[in-house]
């Protein structure tokens, strides 16, 4: 399937330039588009929005795109969420974080439910933010984001209950018996998920349980409770909010390999044991020019088990400085990743890990890399936006 698609993509990328015409379903115009603006016979260049025109089957023989609007205001488009929902997905969303919410231009775009029908708090529902000392919970920042979602009519993803990172030291450096840590996890997940009961579409209950070689990550949870911490957390979350979809979320499981297999085996075991598990989140922190080739196949392996899947933290970084060639490749990469989700019915939605380079986590983590988001640091859309639109349309 993927090989055929790849072959078609190569051909589709070659023929239009050879003939000067875009193929059926190919892009034929839009702001920033530099490729063919006429369509092959039997198709018509239809303006989907200011950023994307497409050759759709129709009567005209060879129509020139009329998309010349110079506006770069994202809200003038149909919007990513509108397109995703029209295509049968539940949402297209973005992560956000409390410090960014003082930037009104940023919030205006984030709150545009045509673009984003879902938000995820990037930090403020994590353990260090919600239970900094044992038994003392603070929900102030998480509530701000939950309320923003409510005001905007957006779905909320909860992120996260149990993760090796961003733990307060009383957890990460604590010395617990198995029984004590079980109580700690039950209390934490139960209280946090319970606080947001009825407000959250899905929770990343367990985040990043595996090393890249598919072995279990060594942390206080695994070292004290072995693999049982996963079911302890999931059961506590289910009891606290029976209607929230419960996910395990990880990165580098998007290609076939040891880590994807480990995740597959884990969820098979959870299902066999009757542990509540509804979905698997694929973070999708990728690099321009190296997006996975077996992503759709992997997604289908999980949905075949009866689970839903979602792209939960998508961004595609590059080595700086940006060039036109890198931005064009990034657009193709965004398109192919989103297309994989589009091709899988039970891939319910796509979340980008913040929509703008202005607030991306990438530059502070990967020195010399960045420009990973579909909007640049001036909050202007990039070619990557067109790539997403192309997949959603
Ligand atoms: O909380 C402190 C604050 O007290 C201090 O003033 C400030 C000064 O820099 O730092 C704050 O902590 C930072 C925290 O974000 C909150 O802003 C940390 O230094 C910083 O490392 C942390 O980064 C977050 C990162 O997770 C931590 O691993 C990113 O914002 C967040 O986007 C990122 O998100 C993760 C997902 O949760 C899981 N998947 C990978 C993804 C990217 O790393």
């Amino acid at each position: 399937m993927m090989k055929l698609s790849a072959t078609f993509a190569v051909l589709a990328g070659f023929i239009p330039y050879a003939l000067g015409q875009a193929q059926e379903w190919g892009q034929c115009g839009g702001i920033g588009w530099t490729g063919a603006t006429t369509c092959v016979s039997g198709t018509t260049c239809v303006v989907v929005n200011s950023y994307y025109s497409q050759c759709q089957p129709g009567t005209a023989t060879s129509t020139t795109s009329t998309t010349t609007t110079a506006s770069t205001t994202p809200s003038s488009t149909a919007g990513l969420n509108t397109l995703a929902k029209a295509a049968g997905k539940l949402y297209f969303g973005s992560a956000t974080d409390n410090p960014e919410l003082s930037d009104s231009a940023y919030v205006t775009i984030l709150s545009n439910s045509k673009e984003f029908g879902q938000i995820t708090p990037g930090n403020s529902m994590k353990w260090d933010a919600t239970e900094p000392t044992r038994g003392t919970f603070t929900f102030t920042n998480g509530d701000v984001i939950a309320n923003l979602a409510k005001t905007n009519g957006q779905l909320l993803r909860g992120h996260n209950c149990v993760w090796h990172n961003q733990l307060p030291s009383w957890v990460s450096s604590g010395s617990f018996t198995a029984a004590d840590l079980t109580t700690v996890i039950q209390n934490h997940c139960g209280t946090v998920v319970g606080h947001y009961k009825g407000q959250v579409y899905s929770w990343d209950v367990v985040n990043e349980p595996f090393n890249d070689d598919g072995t279990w990550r060594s942390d206080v949870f695994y070292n004290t409770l072995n693999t049982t911490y996963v079911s302890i957390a999931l059961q506590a979350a289910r009891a606290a909010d029976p209607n929230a979809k419960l996910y395990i979320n990880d990165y580098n499981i998007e290609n076939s390999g040891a880590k994807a297999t480990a995740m597959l085996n884990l969820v098979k075991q959870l299902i066999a044991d009757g542990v509540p598990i509804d979905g698997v989140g694929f973070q999708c922190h990728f690099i321009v020019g190296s997006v996975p080739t077996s992503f759709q196949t992997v997604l289908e392996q999980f949905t075949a088990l009866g689970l839903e899947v979602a792209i939960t933290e998508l961004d595609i970084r590059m080595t700086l400085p940006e060039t036109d060639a890198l931005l064009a490749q990034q657009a193709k990469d965004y398109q192919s990743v989103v297309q994989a989700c589009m091709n899988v019915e039970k891939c319910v939605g796509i979340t980008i890990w913040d929509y703008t380079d202005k607030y991306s986590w990438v530059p502070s983590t990967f020195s010399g890399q960045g420009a990973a988001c579909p909007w640049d640091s001036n909050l202007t859309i990039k070619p990557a936006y067109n790539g997403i639109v192309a997949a959603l349309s």
Side-chain angles (χ1 to χ4, degrees):
M1 186 74 177
M2 292 301 291
K3 277 185 183 161
L4 279 176
S5 305
T7 307
F8 176 76
V10 170
L11 289 171
F14 174 74
I15 293 169
Y17 294 104
L19 302 179
Q21 291 185 319
Q23 298 295 289
E24 186 176 3
W25 303 116
Q27 186 169 359
C28 54
I31 295 167
W33 175 246
T34 55
T37 55
T38 59
C39 295
V40 292
S41 179
T43 66
T44 307
C45 188
V46 174
V47 177
V48 176
N49 59 49
S50 306
Y51 304 89
Y52 190 73
S53 300
Q54 184 179 49
C55 295
Q56 297 182 3
T59 49
T61 49
S62 184
T63 308
T64 302
S65 166
T66 54
T67 310
T68 53
T69 317
S71 167
T72 52
T73 307
S75 59
S76 68
T77 71
L80 303 180
N81 184 50
T82 303
L83 292 171
K85 289 177 81 167
K89 301 300 172 194
L90 287 181
Y91 59 82
F92 191 97
S94 175
T96 188
D97 205 0
N98 296 76
E100 305 158 24
L101 301 180
S102 57
D103 178 342
S104 60
Y106 167 84
V107 174
T108 298
I109 295 172
L110 180 73
S111 298
N112 179 359
S113 59
K114 291 180 182 169
E115 296 290 7
F116 304 115
Q118 176 274 324
I119 54 180
T120 307
N123 284 301
S124 51
M125 291 184 191
K126 290 173 177 173
W127 201 313
D128 61 352
T130 53
E131 195 185 4
T133 56
R134 186 168 180 171
T136 304
F137 289 85
T138 57
F139 294 111
T140 313
N141 282 343
D143 287 355
V144 167
I145 296 192
N147 289 333
L148 182 67
K150 204 179 302 171
T151 302
N152 295 337
Q154 295 164 320
L155 297 171
L156 185 64
R157 295 196 81 255
H159 179 82
N160 52 56
C161 292
V162 174
W163 185 29
H164 71 94
N165 202 353
Q166 286 175 285
L167 289 171
S169 59
W170 72 266
V171 180
S172 56
S173 308
S175 144
F176 302 100
T177 64
D180 199 14
L181 190 58
T182 299
T183 305
V184 165
I185 293 171
Q186 288 171 333
N187 191 43
H188 181 75
C189 291
T191 304
V192 175
V193 174
H195 179 80
Y196 293 106
K197 183 180 179 182
Q199 299 179 60
V200 170
Y201 168 70
S202 58
W203 263 104
D204 293 328
V205 178
V206 174
N207 197 39
E208 303 174 4
F210 295 113
N211 297 312
D212 281 349
D213 64 1
T215 57
W216 283 81
R217 189 187 290 277
S218 168
D219 61 15
V220 65
F221 306 112
Y222 180 75
N223 296 344
T224 310
L225 290 163
N226 204 281
T227 63
T228 62
Y229 79 86
V230 173
S231 54
I232 292 165
L234 287 164
Q235 278 156 346
R238 175 53 45 90
D241 186 354
N243 294 321
K245 301 278 187 191
L246 307 183
Y247 275 59
I248 304 176
N249 188 49
D250 213 330
Y251 62 90
N252 286 353
I253 55 169
E254 298 88 356
N255 250 335
S256 300
K259 195 169 184 179
T261 301
M263 182 65 84
L264 205 52
N265 289 338
L266 170 60
V267 294
K268 280 181 186 168
Q269 190 62 52
L270 292 170
I271 293 167
D273 293 345
V275 175
I277 174 75
D278 302 304
V280 171
F282 293 76
Q283 293 187 6
C284 296
H285 294 294
F286 294 140
I287 298 171
V288 166
S290 317
V291 296
T293 50
S294 53
F295 187 29
Q296 183 181 332
T297 305
V298 173
L299 291 176
E300 285 165 343
Q301 288 173 334
F302 284 86
T303 59
L305 301 177
L307 299 175
E308 62 178 52
V309 293
I311 293 177
T312 53
E313 305 185 13
L314 175 61
D315 51 28
I316 309 181
R317 62 186 183 268
M318 62 181 72
T319 299
L320 299 173
E322 297 172 31
T323 62
D324 287 348
L326 282 168
L327 291 170
Q329 182 61 46
Q330 185 182 48
K332 287 182 188 168
D333 291 342
Y334 264 100
Q335 180 173 350
S336 83
V337 173
V338 173
Q339 190 65 53
C341 180
M342 295 294 287
N343 292 349
V344 177
E345 191 184 350
K346 288 177 75 179
C347 183
V348 297
I350 297 137
T351 307
I352 46 180
W353 205 242
D354 226 318
Y355 72 84
T356 164
D357 294 334
K358 189 173 185 180
Y359 298 120
S360 171
W361 67 289
V362 169
S364 62
T365 303
F366 299 99
S367 179
Q369 296 183 51
C373 302
W375 275 256
D376 70 15
S377 51
N378 296 315
L379 307 183
T380 301
I381 60 161
K382 295 156 58 175
Y385 181 97
N386 292 338
I388 298 170
V389 169
L392 296 176
S393 300

